[in-house]
Amino acid sequence: MTAVVTDAHYRMSVALIRDLGEAGVRVIACEKESFASPVGFSSRYASRCVQLPQTDNPDALYDLCRAEFETTGEKPALLPVGAQTLAMLSREQARFSAVCGLCIPTPEQLALFNDKAAVAALAARHGVAVPQSYEKEADEEADAFFARAALPCVVKPICGEQFGLHAEARYRIARTKDDLQSAFAHFSGLTHDAPVVQEYLPGRGLGCSVLCRAGEIVCAIAHRRVREYPVTGGPSSCCQVIDPAPLLPLVTPLVRETTYTGLAMFEFKEDSAGKPHLLEINPRVWGTYPLTRASGSNFALCWLALSLGQSAPEYRAPDPVKMAFYPSDFAAMLGYLKRGEAGKFFAGLRDVFSPNVKNGLAERADPGPSRAYYRQLFVKRRKP
């Protein structure tokens, strides 16, 4: 079997490449020419590395899959990692299905899950709690709107990733009226549309990630955020596997109503009483995807099988491990220390020296990707 893994510059792609390569799958890693040394190209499990033209035209990727199909007589599984690649393949799904296997959402499913207002309405129909939202009426004065939005609150565009925003840039936490006005103006100017304004929830961040086919969940993994960077609500720098059972009843009806196919991560935040509220759905490979590998699950092999139209192997439930990304987690520890949260700082230090905490990228048996990642960080820091 052959798998084509796209967007090899992402850390998430490395986990896919390693899992599939270890299982004996021939892995073709690909990336656009603008990325000189994608971390996925440095993995010993990548059988072949292909750089694609820096263009939105999908022909080069199509030709790669077609050539593989014609050479081997078997369709490769095409596993898109990046959001832009996924959106393109979703639109071109009928065409690509002739030369490769796919297990991805339809354009309609992508549009729905990427629309925070539509997700909130979907959740409400099934009794799933969501944060209270504040919408500016068409004829409402700006001052009146800013005055009635409860503080603190979170301001974010409807779909920040469509505008090339990194995770930490897709939201702002407003603790004052001036913060709210500034964040609202920032995202309005960026997207030319009114951003989403939601209540801020003080509890733990949780995620329930699933692989689905036609509205049925094939496998799932859940995690809680241990630390994040930036510490004001950024992506996870350290996370831990938890039992998905409490979250699956909230996720399952949304997947079934939409007959969803593909990967998705449902992001929750607890209120002060510990009740989870659905914040958003990421219908793609998510940032903490390497936890599927660190926990010993066979998530990647299940996705491969469904992409090829096969029955998924028996899912190996993940172990309750903790995983950290470095150097992001070091920065998170310092951030907590500066905020006076010394307990989180020292807990992070203990995790650094704990053999039970997995590294989200570095592995002794496959050191190439982490070396490439750190080289890139060093070069970025040296640039004037």
Side-chain angles (χ1 to χ4, degrees):
M1 287 188 290
T2 300
V4 178
V5 177
T6 74
D7 306 285
H9 75 281
Y10 285 118
R11 290 180 302 194
M12 302 93 79
S13 71
V14 177
L16 265 173
I17 291 167
R18 285 169 168 165
D19 273 342
L20 297 173
E22 279 184 344
V25 177
R26 180 170 174 265
V27 179
I28 301 175
C30 57
E31 185 52 270
K32 291 183 178 180
E33 292 172 336
S34 57
F35 295 92
S37 301
V39 291
F41 281 15
S42 299
S43 174
R44 61 189 287 256
Y45 297 107
S47 301
R48 180 185 172 197
C49 300
V50 178
Q51 289 194 294
L52 303 173
Q54 186 64 27
T55 174
D56 292 331
N57 190 323
D59 287 351
L61 183 57
Y62 177 88
D63 290 342
L64 172 65
C65 294
R66 182 181 62 183
E68 185 65 25
F69 183 25
E70 292 175 348
T71 300
T72 65
E74 295 181 343
K75 290 183 181 180
L78 180 52
L79 308 178
V81 175
Q84 292 183 348
T85 304
L86 173 62
M88 178 272 292
L89 289 173
S90 182
R91 295 190 300 269
E92 300 266 351
Q93 194 162 172
R95 177 191 178 201
F96 271 79
S97 293
V99 296
C100 65
L102 289 166
C103 179
I104 60 174
T106 65
E108 294 76 20
Q109 290 168 339
L110 272 182
L112 172 61
F113 279 11
N114 278 322
D115 187 328
K116 293 177 176 61
V119 166
L122 174 65
R125 288 199 297 274
H126 294 279
V128 178
V130 297
Q132 182 178 353
S133 293
Y134 304 91
E135 294 185 16
K136 184 178 179 297
E137 304 295 338
D139 57 349
E140 185 178 16
E141 293 291 335
D143 284 344
F145 170 70
F146 294 135
R148 69 178 175 86
L151 296 171
C153 61
V154 180
V155 186
K156 50 190 175 182
I158 292 175
C159 183
E161 199 164 77
Q162 288 183 350
F163 297 90
L165 300 177
H166 294 293
E168 65 273 13
R170 293 179 205 148
Y171 67 94
R172 288 188 181 182
I173 298 175
R175 302 187 183 277
T176 67
K177 182 179 176 181
D178 287 344
D179 290 344
L180 174 56
Q181 290 174 319
S182 174
F184 197 91
H186 168 74
F187 288 121
S188 295
L190 183 68
T191 67
H192 305 292
D193 201 358
V196 176
V197 180
Q198 292 180 334
E199 69 171 313
Y200 175 77
L201 298 170
R204 300 182 305 171
L206 308 172
C208 184
S209 304
V210 294
L211 170 64
C212 312
R213 178 164 58 185
E216 294 299 321
I217 296 175
V218 176
C219 48
I221 183 172
H223 73 274
R224 67 173 178 88
R225 288 188 177 188
V226 177
R227 289 179 293 276
E228 56 195 19
Y229 183 75
V231 298
T232 51
S236 296
S237 61
C238 180
C239 55
Q240 184 165 20
V241 173
I242 60 174
D243 183 2
L247 296 176
L248 280 174
L250 308 179
V251 170
T252 300
L254 312 187
V255 169
R256 284 181 176 165
E257 180 181 324
T258 57
T259 62
Y260 186 77
T261 291
L263 299 179
M265 195 273 273
F266 292 71
E267 185 176 351
F268 295 87
K269 193 81 181 288
E270 293 177 335
D271 62 17
S272 56
K275 181 179 180 179
H277 290 57
L278 179 63
L279 299 183
E280 61 186 22
I281 306 173
N282 297 310
R284 53 191 165 269
V285 177
W286 54 96
T288 55
Y289 179 86
L291 191 59
T292 63
R293 173 173 173 79
S295 63
S297 80
N298 58 347
F299 217 99
L301 291 176
C302 291
W303 191 18
L304 174 79
L306 295 189
S307 298
L308 295 174
Q310 302 171 0
S311 297
E314 182 178 355
Y315 181 51
R316 188 195 183 288
D319 297 326
V321 302
K322 189 184 289 186
M323 179 190 74
F325 289 118
Y326 301 106
S328 298
D329 204 38
F330 291 130
M333 291 178 224
L334 292 175
Y336 289 118
L337 186 62
K338 290 178 181 178
R339 290 209 317 180
E341 299 181 52
K344 286 193 173 182
F345 171 77
F346 288 111
L349 284 183
R350 286 194 296 271
D351 285 345
V352 172
F353 298 103
S354 171
N356 298 320
V357 179
K358 306 292 186 179
N359 191 304
L361 181 62
E363 292 187 10
R364 184 175 299 177
D366 187 29
S370 59
R371 290 173 180 169
Y373 180 72
Y374 288 118
R375 278 197 303 269
Q376 291 173 8
L377 286 180
F378 180 71
V379 169
K380 286 180 183 178
R381 288 183 179 276
R382 291 187 60 186
K383 286 183 178 180

